[in-house]
Amino acid sequence: MKIAILLFNNFTALDVVGPYEVLSRLPDTKIYFVGPDKKDYEDSYGLKMLAEYSINDISEADVLLIPGGYGVDDILKNTEIIEWIKKIDRTSKWTVSVCSGALLLAEAGLLIDKKCTTHWKRKDQLRNYKVDVINERYVHDGKIITSAGVSAGIDMALYMVSIIENEQAAKMIQLSIEYDPNPPFDCGSPDKVPQEMIDKLKK
């Protein structure tokens, strides 16, 4: 199975690495990190990841994964990238996004009239498109799966394994990466925190 993951500057690292850690464990799978150009791309804090392939090198994939990050806004109107997303989607069995990556799918017209989700700070922005935004960790509609912010990409990837392979395979991967969240605080969702925390993060 061929999985293409888009890289761009100011991506969110866990959006990429979380699903990669899960999906790379699928049998007979090769993951391609793809950028507008073959080069290093930096996340918002300076972590570099190499795109060994450019969007001109990759013309098809079984899975297209679009991460999010602050850099989404810089490429949202980039015609070359949006057209590449459309092209790969025409060949894919699954087209998926993490966090604000859903905005790129929406800009490409792939979420029209579909149920979808994104990071809580981006939901109003996503609603500007003709979509149905759902408050869930991940949302499956047709061959499109979108996930909420950052860490939700791991949940989505495990769900993908359950439908690509089977539930037992997904459970084995979850166990192997010891994904058993037990955070010290119960504040991972905006409906669990006071408004002042939300307002501070929105600034």
Side-chain angles (χ1 to χ4, degrees):
M1 184 167 61
K2 183 176 181 178
I3 300 176
I5 300 179
L6 180 66
L7 292 179
F8 48 87
N9 282 322
N10 290 322
F11 66 91
T12 295
L14 191 58
D15 287 11
V16 174
V17 177
Y20 167 81
E21 187 66 40
V22 173
L23 298 176
S24 63
R25 296 167 188 257
L26 282 166
D28 302 316
T29 291
K30 181 172 175 57
I31 294 182
Y32 297 77
F33 290 106
V34 188
D37 301 293
K38 287 187 278 189
K39 66 174 190 177
D40 284 331
Y41 291 88
E42 291 190 9
D43 79 345
S44 300
Y45 305 99
L47 175 69
K48 293 181 180 180
M49 293 190 70
L50 173 63
E52 294 184 313
Y53 303 89
S54 78
I55 58 177
N56 294 319
D57 297 326
I58 303 297
S59 59
E60 51 84 23
D62 298 298
V63 176
L64 172 62
L65 191 151
I66 307 297
Y70 294 114
V72 162
D73 297 302
D74 297 326
I75 62 172
L76 196 55
K77 301 299 180 180
N78 184 309
T79 303
E80 188 178 16
I81 293 173
I82 296 301
E83 289 302 316
W84 179 79
I85 290 172
K86 291 179 182 179
K87 179 171 70 173
I88 303 303
D89 175 73
R90 286 194 289 269
T91 74
S92 71
K93 296 176 183 175
W94 301 101
T95 296
V96 305
S97 66
V98 184
C99 195
S100 57
L103 293 166
L104 291 170
L105 297 186
E107 183 66 27
L110 303 181
L111 300 185
I112 293 173
D113 294 331
K114 288 191 175 293
K115 295 180 173 62
C116 58
T117 193
T118 188
H119 191 285
W120 61 266
K121 288 200 293 183
R122 297 286 199 151
K123 285 178 179 175
D124 286 343
Q125 188 178 1
L126 186 57
R127 288 187 180 101
N128 290 326
Y129 297 89
K130 192 181 177 185
V131 301
D132 183 8
V133 178
I134 306 295
N135 294 323
E136 297 289 349
R137 287 283 282 176
Y138 56 85
V139 176
H140 180 184
D141 190 337
K143 72 169 190 175
I144 304 286
I145 309 175
T146 53
S147 62
V150 194
S151 62
I154 300 173
D155 298 35
M156 178 190 71
L158 287 168
Y159 172 71
M160 287 181 65
V161 172
S162 77
I163 56 179
I164 292 171
E165 286 288 311
N166 53 62
E167 185 175 309
Q168 182 68 12
K171 288 178 176 178
M172 292 295 289
I173 291 174
Q174 181 175 354
L175 176 61
S176 70
I177 65 174
E178 201 170 352
Y179 182 56
D180 188 25
N182 185 25
F185 310 107
D186 188 21
C187 59
S189 173
D191 58 3
K192 296 179 177 180
V193 299
Q195 186 62 42
E196 56 263 29
M197 285 183 65
I198 296 171
D199 293 342
K200 188 172 183 180
L201 276 175
K202 281 186 173 180
K203 289 180 180 179

